[in-house]
Amino acid sequence: MIEVKETPIEELLDRVISNLPSNKKYQLVSITKKIKEVNTLHFFEGAKALNKDRIFWTSTAEQYDVVGIGNAYEIHAKENRFEITENKWNELLANAKIFNPYQVAGTGVVALGGMAFDPKKEQTHLWEKFSPSQFTIPAFILTKNNNNYYFTINTYVTKDDHPRQLATEIEHQESLLFRNMEQPSDHLTINEKIEVKPDKWRETVRQAREAIRTNKAEKIVLAREMRLKFNKEANIASILQKLIDKHANSYIFAFEKGEDCFVGATPERLVKLNGEQLLSTCLAGTAPRGKTKEEDLKISQDLLKDEKNRQEHEFVVKMIKGALETYSTEIEIPNEPIVYPLKNLQHLYTPVTAILKDGYSIFDIVKQLHPTPALGGTPNKESMAFIRDHELLDRGWYGAPVGWLDSNQNSEFAVAIRSGLIQGNEASLFAGGGIVKDSNLEEEYEETTIKFKPMLSVLGD
């Protein structure tokens, strides 16, 4: 299965352990090698036999998958989470020994994780396993990049470690991972579907609309929750397979923390960074897909002309442009949006490209972009205050940045919408809508109902 053309693991470990400075108790070692083709989802499914947390990330529009198994190191932050996370990440890289001859995205030291939508909102029991900012450097990483496959091992070594013994232990776990690969299979059905406080949500929408009409905000995004109960414990790999099959042009993700797993298929890129090349996305304004080509075309044309949706979209375009101006140059934004079709929905879409200035990082950009007007509202301070005081749920990681960054100066973050928190044989799904001064309560309710469908469609609905 594995093509080993690189320096043997034992030799690399021996080199690091022998040269470990006397003032260092331990050191992170990262070793990447190229391997033969592997089905990343089968690898993810088989890895559950090791009883370690798993992470899955794929961009279905590109040939890019990352699967993380276990935990070599974890970065947590509560206060000043962007600055603290960046500082800990930089410190980690500065002290790591990285053996990676390939330098492609998603290899070497890779951190995958996310953040809470609003760390000032009191955390509920629902999200107790997910920190306000939590990034994992997995012990094992399988990466698919442009139909090439790589396997990375991340481990800490000490002066007392024996290279051969440590290498044997690592290779044993590696062999188990590749030997246990399984095709996911599941026949999940929804036994119970409960919309959480729908009437109170409508009342909150009315309150938000009134606040906007009295000039307390221009737009406020309000989310609601749906609670599901299944016939048995959900199989995460099976859910991921269905999401991949049904949702082209999306980021499919899963972050597993013990028995809980945050899963989704989001079309909304927050930012992608390749060296200094920056790409962001304005995705706001939503309509359903038509049942025929003619109906679909008419809906898309109506979406382009719809004043409410165009206003929503323009909020996001202006915010992203303003957020990038301090940190980048050569910002390019098309004058008009296009329609971005998905399986169940279509959105207004505008790409934004720029060049990141020296001295700034992906964390500077994420901090400026989150929350976008598509998930929070505008102005940011006023809309977030209303959400914090009035919204009926703890969003947790819903609507927040999730993604990855690597030691090769690559990173990508998406906005975690079209998502749910799976907890054994139960789940919470989340969907939101942008409220403006002319919003109709029932239309907003129906829009959120449509936004539940991407997850419902893979969970047995």
Side-chain angles (χ1 to χ4, degrees), residues 5-294:
K5 295 181 180 178
E6 298 83 359
T7 306
I9 293 175
E10 181 183 339
E11 185 178 326
L12 295 175
L13 292 172
D14 183 48
R15 192 186 305 173
V16 176
I17 292 169
S18 299
N19 292 291
L20 195 64
S22 57
N23 62 340
K24 272 195 175 181
K25 293 182 178 180
Y26 50 82
Q27 186 161 35
L28 178 66
V29 181
S30 179
I31 302 169
T32 299
K33 54 188 175 182
K34 199 170 185 180
I35 63 175
K36 293 180 180 178
E37 181 177 349
V38 176
N39 185 303
T40 53
L41 203 56
H42 293 184
F43 178 84
F44 178 90
E45 171 69 356
K48 68 182 180 182
L50 270 66
N51 293 317
K52 297 179 183 293
D53 287 345
R54 302 170 296 169
I55 298 172
F56 187 90
W57 177 278
T58 185
S59 173
T60 55
E62 303 166 349
Q63 296 294 320
Y64 184 77
D65 299 1
V66 180
V67 182
I69 308 299
N71 181 355
Y73 187 76
E74 205 156 60
I75 298 172
H76 289 264
K78 292 184 179 181
E79 303 295 329
N80 302 314
R81 53 189 180 157
F82 296 98
E83 293 82 0
I84 289 173
T85 301
E86 180 177 8
N87 289 340
K88 288 184 177 180
W89 169 248
N90 289 335
E91 183 181 356
L92 179 76
L93 294 187
N95 291 288
K97 285 292 183 182
I98 303 171
F99 300 98
N100 179 14
Y102 305 103
Q103 303 293 305
V104 301
T107 63
V109 180
V110 183
L112 302 105
M115 298 179 170
F117 178 79
D118 180 5
K120 294 181 180 179
K121 179 90 171 184
E122 185 178 354
Q123 187 180 52
T124 65
H125 178 72
L126 184 68
W127 289 97
E128 64 181 358
K129 294 181 181 178
F130 292 79
S131 298
S133 178
Q134 188 171 354
F135 287 84
T136 300
I137 291 83
F140 302 101
I141 302 171
L142 173 63
T143 306
K144 174 186 175 184
N145 191 316
N146 291 323
N147 284 321
N148 292 308
Y149 295 79
Y150 306 88
F151 187 67
T152 298
I153 296 156
N154 295 308
T155 187
Y156 273 89
V157 300
T158 71
K159 271 287 189 185
D160 297 328
D161 284 326
H162 192 286
R164 179 177 295 178
Q165 182 180 354
L166 186 56
T168 299
E169 181 183 335
I170 291 169
E171 287 167 347
H172 173 66
Q173 288 188 300
E174 179 184 330
S175 67
L176 287 176
L177 283 169
F178 286 98
R179 191 171 68 220
N180 287 339
M181 288 196 300
E182 299 178 21
Q183 183 172 352
S185 178
D186 193 20
H187 299 287
L188 198 65
T189 58
I190 298 172
N191 286 347
E192 192 174 355
K193 184 164 59 175
I194 303 168
E195 295 186 44
V196 179
K197 301 177 181 177
D199 292 334
K200 285 190 176 181
W201 185 83
R202 287 185 180 92
E203 173 58 21
T204 308
V205 171
R206 189 196 62 76
Q207 292 173 357
R209 188 179 62 185
E210 185 60 29
I212 294 164
R213 288 176 176 176
T214 54
N215 298 317
K216 293 177 182 175
E218 294 179 66
K219 175 186 173 183
I220 299 169
V221 179
L222 291 175
R224 65 188 185 97
E225 179 184 357
M226 180 182 289
R227 191 70 183 170
L228 308 178
K229 292 186 178 180
F230 307 119
N231 60 320
K232 60 179 180 179
E233 186 172 318
N235 180 284
I236 302 302
S238 178
I239 293 169
L240 290 171
Q241 182 67 72
K242 291 172 185 175
L243 288 171
I244 290 168
D245 292 343
K246 291 183 178 227
H247 298 287
N249 301 323
S250 294
Y251 298 97
I252 313 297
F253 60 85
F255 295 93
E256 189 173 63
K257 304 293 179 188
E259 298 300 315
D260 295 3
C261 191
F262 184 49
V263 182
T266 175
E268 188 167 348
R269 174 190 289 118
L270 188 64
V271 61
K272 180 177 183 178
L273 198 60
N274 184 353
E276 61 179 16
Q277 302 289 325
L278 187 152
L279 172 63
S280 188
T281 298
C282 309
L283 199 72
T286 305
R289 297 299 303 270
K291 295 180 181 178
T292 65
K293 285 185 178 180
E294 292 76 14

Side-chain angles (χ1 to χ4, degrees), residues 427-447:
S428 280
L429 307 186
F430 311 95
I435 313 306
V436 294
K437 64 180 181 179
D438 296 324
S439 287
N440 177 284
L441 269 60
E442 285 309 310
E443 288 178 1
E444 296 296 345
Y445 174 81
E446 288 304 321
E447 181 178 321

Side-chain angles (χ1 to χ4, degrees), residues 231-414:
N231 60 320
K232 60 179 180 179
E233 186 172 318
N235 180 284
I236 302 302
S238 178
I239 293 169
L240 290 171
Q241 182 67 72
K242 291 172 185 175
L243 288 171
I244 290 168
D245 292 343
K246 291 183 178 227
H247 298 287
N249 301 323
S250 294
Y251 298 97
I252 313 297
F253 60 85
F255 295 93
E256 189 173 63
K257 304 293 179 188
E259 298 300 315
D260 295 3
C261 191
F262 184 49
V263 182
T266 175
E268 188 167 348
R269 174 190 289 118
L270 188 64
V271 61
K272 180 177 183 178
L273 198 60
N274 184 353
E276 61 179 16
Q277 302 289 325
L278 187 152
L279 172 63
S280 188
T281 298
C282 309
L283 199 72
T286 305
R289 297 299 303 270
K291 295 180 181 178
T292 65
K293 285 185 178 180
E294 292 76 14
E295 184 186 17
D296 199 51
L297 179 60
K298 184 179 186 308
I299 291 172
S300 68
Q301 290 173 340
D302 289 344
L303 179 60
L304 282 167
K305 298 173 186 175
D306 184 78
E307 185 178 345
K308 174 186 177 293
N309 281 291
R310 287 296 292 264
Q311 184 184 30
E312 265 196 70
H313 190 79
E314 190 60 28
F315 282 144
V316 179
V317 173
K318 286 181 178 179
M319 188 282 294
I320 289 179
K321 181 183 179 183
L324 296 183
E325 283 175 335
T326 301
Y327 302 96
S328 59
T329 60
E330 300 180 35
I331 301 172
E332 295 186 7
I333 305 174
N335 292 326
E336 296 287 329
I338 61 173
V339 173
Y340 193 79
L342 299 168
K343 178 76 174 178
N344 304 103
L345 302 168
Q346 45 192 327
H347 302 281
L348 295 178
Y349 168 86
T350 300
V352 180
T353 59
I355 303 296
L356 187 68
K357 290 180 182 178
D358 289 342
Y360 295 113
S361 75
I362 186 68
F363 292 103
D364 293 309
I365 303 300
V366 172
K367 182 179 180 180
Q368 289 301 310
L369 293 179
H370 174 72
T372 70
L375 271 300
T378 188
N380 178 273
K381 183 179 178 181
E382 287 77 5
S383 60
M384 288 294 288
F386 186 94
I387 293 168
R388 194 175 299 130
D389 293 340
H390 295 86
E391 198 169 64
L392 304 172
L393 74 156
D394 172 13
R395 292 193 189 186
W397 283 21
Y398 164 72
V402 294
W404 59 272
L405 58 157
D406 68 20
S407 51
N408 311 309
Q409 306 303 310
N410 302 295
S411 54
E412 187 160 26
F413 283 82

